[in-house]
Amino acid sequence: MGSDGLRDNRIIPALTGVRAIAAYAVFVHHYNPAPAGTFLNRLFDQGYTGVSLFFVLSGFLIHHRYADHVLTNQTCSWRSYARNRFDRIYPLYAVVLAGTAVGLWLAGRPMDGGIFGLDMLLLQGFFNEYKFSGVQQSWTLTVEACFYVSAPLLIVAGQRWGWLLLATGLTGLGILLWAGLCYAGWSLHGFLGTLPFVLFYTFFGRAFEFIIGMALAQRWSRGTFVRAHYRTALGLLIMGGCIFWQAYVPGALTGVNALIWCEVLVYNYLLPLGIAVFFAGLLQEKTHIRRLLAQPFMQALGHSSYAFYLIHIGVLSKLVQKTGFVNSSGLLFVVLLPVAHGLYVWVEKPLQKYARSR
């Protein structure tokens, strides 16, 4: 039994490699190399689907690691769970946020103290006005933190009520909260400010991604997978279809039609389903993709992917670009890889070790 309550045989190398792919997809979204206005540009812009990979994977791993403890009411594992989830995302984030604040201050653009406090508490993702404050991509950590806090309850609720009902209920709750705030005329800095914001940037809108990962973990742990071939290929086909749809169709749709067909049905539901099928293939099938993702170099990249995700846009990446030696997104990517690995080895791991020793 490891320090976080895991048996060694619960580690799944291919899924560690997926973390690197997800982080690099988001990088491509932010540093789109294709000419503006082209279909290829719109295609690369779909790199934000890497966030969905992270969320489905998070749902799978949390259920995979902790469901037995939650369902058997082992109180010691609850304390271990809370500590390990905090140690997993917060220490390195706090360091990067502090570095961001210092960098902005040196640049003559100091962060507002209230916004800095909001970011430190990981609450910025609830506010439309502040979702990109500080570490711009950290709105996803607000979503992740909401999942961590609610995951033990979700595990129990999923067993009792079913995963699909739970996911639709959470999305419906988010919509009701938004509608209630609109009716009351309460618009505190965009708190759950718009329906697209609720569906795309909050835990309510992204709940299905986590929950389908949890459902996959439950079926896998129970050995109730139906034997089938080519799940990896089918998952990639569904994911690819969603990406092409998102790249091609939104320009032809506007308003409510675009919101329903693109954000809700395709991005929030069909894409996570494809990701789950792909993960099922990685768990069951001995494919070249699984072997590649499990290679030692992919494991190293996967372990440092969180650090890469936190620094790929922001003060540090801008500082690297201003040196004059990095004049393309490809070169920036190459430079940030060892920087992220160094942060993982010399900052993230020691901070986690220190936090867990207390």
Side-chain angles (χ1 to χ4, degrees):
M1 189 74 70
S3 62
D4 61 353
L6 290 182
R7 298 190 300 271
D8 288 342
N9 62 4
R10 288 196 170 189
I11 297 172
I12 306 166
L15 296 185
T16 300
V18 166
R19 289 167 49 190
I21 301 301
Y24 303 156
V26 177
F27 178 91
V28 170
H29 166 70
H30 286 128
Y31 297 95
N32 196 321
T38 64
F39 177 75
L40 194 58
N41 180 275
R42 296 196 300 273
L43 194 62
F44 284 143
D45 199 46
Q46 306 313 307
Y48 63 74
T49 55
V51 173
S52 295
L53 279 168
F54 276 126
F55 288 165
V56 176
L57 180 59
S58 184
F60 177 88
L61 292 176
I62 291 300
H63 190 284
H64 175 59
R65 294 175 175 179
Y66 297 106
D68 289 343
H69 297 304
V70 171
L71 294 173
T72 55
N73 293 314
Q74 296 182 25
T75 55
C76 62
S77 68
W78 286 73
R79 291 193 297 271
S80 175
Y81 169 81
R83 184 186 69 240
N84 285 314
R85 291 307 92 203
F86 176 87
D87 296 346
R88 176 67 188 90
I89 67 171
Y90 194 79
L92 182 61
Y93 166 71
V95 169
V96 174
L97 178 60
T100 298
V102 171
L104 291 173
W105 178 75
L106 292 174
R109 296 182 288 114
M111 287 185 69
D112 177 84
I115 296 176
F116 178 78
L118 200 69
D119 288 6
M120 264 298 176
L121 294 173
L122 283 177
L123 297 176
Q124 71 275 26
F126 290 112
F127 299 87
N128 198 15
E129 291 184 19
Y130 302 136
K131 62 182 182 289
F132 297 141
S133 61
V135 182
Q136 296 176 39
Q137 58 274 39
S138 65
W139 67 267
T140 60
L141 300 187
T142 302
V143 178
E144 190 81 17
C146 287
F147 171 63
Y148 287 165
V149 169
S150 61
L153 297 176
L154 296 180
I155 290 171
V156 175
Q159 298 280 338
R160 293 181 179 177
W161 302 331
W163 298 109
L164 183 59
L165 179 62
L166 182 60
T168 53
L170 285 169
T171 302
L173 176 60
I175 294 172
L176 285 175
L177 288 172
W178 162 77
L181 291 172
C182 287
Y183 180 78
W186 197 61
S187 58
L188 179 63
H189 301 286
F191 180 76
L192 302 181
T194 67
L195 184 56
F197 172 75
V198 170
L199 293 175
F200 189 85
Y201 290 101
T202 73
F203 173 67
F204 299 109
R206 311 302 290 260
F208 183 73
E209 292 164 306
F210 295 101
I211 287 173
I212 197 169
M214 298 173 82
L216 175 66
Q218 181 191 62
R219 291 181 65 86
W220 190 56
S221 66
R222 290 179 175 179
T224 55
F225 269 170
V226 176
R227 285 290 169 184
H229 298 291
Y230 308 116
R231 275 200 174 101
T232 305
L234 178 60
L236 288 173
L237 182 63
I238 297 172
M239 291 162 60
C242 290
I243 290 171
F244 272 91
W245 172 280
Q246 293 290 84
Y248 181 76
V249 172
L253 298 175
T254 58
V256 175
N257 286 330
L259 180 65
I260 292 175
W261 284 101
C262 296
E263 295 301 339
V264 178
L265 295 179
V266 175
Y267 187 76
N268 286 17
Y269 283 89
L270 187 55
L271 175 65
L273 177 62
I275 293 170
V277 173
F278 173 63
F279 286 174
L282 292 180
L283 294 171
Q284 273 196 314
E285 301 169 352
K286 296 180 179 180
T287 61
H288 293 301
I289 293 175
R290 172 172 154 173
R291 284 191 286 271
L292 174 63
L293 291 172
Q295 291 299 311
F297 80 95
M298 288 300 299
Q299 299 302 287
L301 294 175
H303 288 308
S304 63
S305 61
Y306 179 54
F308 181 91
Y309 179 73
L310 288 180
I311 66 171
H312 80 277
I313 54 173
V315 170
L316 181 58
S317 63
K318 289 180 180 178
L319 182 63
V320 170
Q321 290 172 295
K322 285 183 177 180
T323 61
F325 298 104
V326 178
N327 54 12
S328 70
S329 59
L331 189 54
L332 177 65
F333 176 80
V334 171
V335 170
L336 289 181
L337 284 179
V339 174
H341 182 72
L343 280 173
Y344 169 70
V345 172
W346 295 310
V347 178
E348 183 179 352
K349 283 182 66 177
L351 284 175
Q352 288 180 355
K353 184 177 180 180
Y354 173 76
R356 291 174 182 178
S357 67
R358 293 175 64 83

